[in-house]
Every structure is written in C-alpha cells, then in structure tokens.
Amino acid sequence: MTSRSVSLTSTFLLLAAGGAAACDSDNDNQNQGFYCADANGVIVDEDYCDDDDNNGGGGGGFFIWHSSGYRSGYPIGSRLPSGGSKFAYNDKAARSSFGLPSSGRIGNGTIKTGSVGKGGSGSSGSGSKSGS
C-alpha cells in the first residue's frame, strides 16, 4: 500500500508541476492594446502613425504604444494609462514582432490576442521616411 501511495503522490505532483508550467507560459502570451500617440502617451489620430507612402505618415515624434493593460475605446487627446511601452511608428521589425502589419495604419485600440513581441521602449526606425 505504501508504494501505491508514493506512486499516486508522485504522479499528482508531476501533473501539478506540469499545470503550473503551462500557466506560467501564458504570461508571455498576453493580449496587447495598441495606440498611436506622441512621446508623452497622448493619443493622436492613427493617421500620424501610418507610414504608407500614399498617406504621408506623421513624421517623427509619433509612436505606437502598447500594453497588456490597454483596452479599446480611449479617445484621441487622452493620455494612455501608465505602464505601456512604445516603439517608432515606422519600426517594421517591432510591428512584425507583435503580429501587426509591417507598414500602414493601425487603428487606435487594436487588441492583438497572444502578442508575444519584445518591442521595447523607444526603439529604432526613427525618421527614415519624412512626412508630407
């Protein structure tokens, strides 16, 4: 009976450890909210973050801000809640790492499920295109 108890206990512990590991891996796979905003996190029209040559884009000073704490629906002119990170609106690598289109407009309040990108804050891509 003791060997059976030990076997059941060790099986339970292995299952519990596996379940905890699965839960931990979800922390890297969170929903992210995305907004076009200035360097201070004040939301602007998403056209300022459109780097499509047909639309001119916004030039320097505008970023795509993201956070798992952002929800959709924040109005233009409001400041995003603290805790977000940003990358240059025309940083193709950062956009792709979050599953966003590598160029063009991203609608304010876009929520990406399962975003795992590591865009960092204030990264590259600054000013290789100029706005019109």
Side-chain angles (χ1 to χ4, degrees):
M1 193 74 134
T2 7
S3 64
R4 185 175 183 172
S5 296
V6 169
S7 176
L8 288 175
T9 302
S10 62
T11 302
F12 173 77
L13 290 174
L14 286 172
L15 289 172
C23 289
D24 280 348
S25 68
D26 287 343
N27 290 338
D28 292 336
N29 202 13
Q30 299 178 352
N31 293 346
Q32 294 273 324
F34 294 85
Y35 280 87
C36 178
D38 66 13
N40 298 313
V42 176
I43 300 169
V44 298
D45 189 284
E46 59 253 338
D47 285 341
Y48 288 110
C49 292
D50 184 352
D51 66 345
D52 184 357
D53 288 334
N54 296 328
N55 293 330
F62 297 104
F63 300 88
I64 297 173
W65 285 75
H66 61 96
S67 172
S68 60
Y70 294 168
R71 59 173 175 72
S72 63
Y74 300 129
I76 291 174
S78 64
R79 184 181 298 270
L80 289 164
S82 62
S85 296
K86 67 181 186 270
F87 57 87
Y89 76 93
N90 57 355
D91 184 339
K92 293 180 186 306
R95 284 171 163 248
S96 294
S97 74
F98 286 102
L100 298 168
S102 61
S103 65
R105 190 175 80 136
I106 298 167
N108 279 335
T110 294
I111 303 293
K112 293 296 288 182
T113 302
S115 293
V116 293
K118 307 287 185 212
S121 60
S123 63
S124 64
S126 59
S128 62
K129 293 184 181 183
S130 60
S132 345

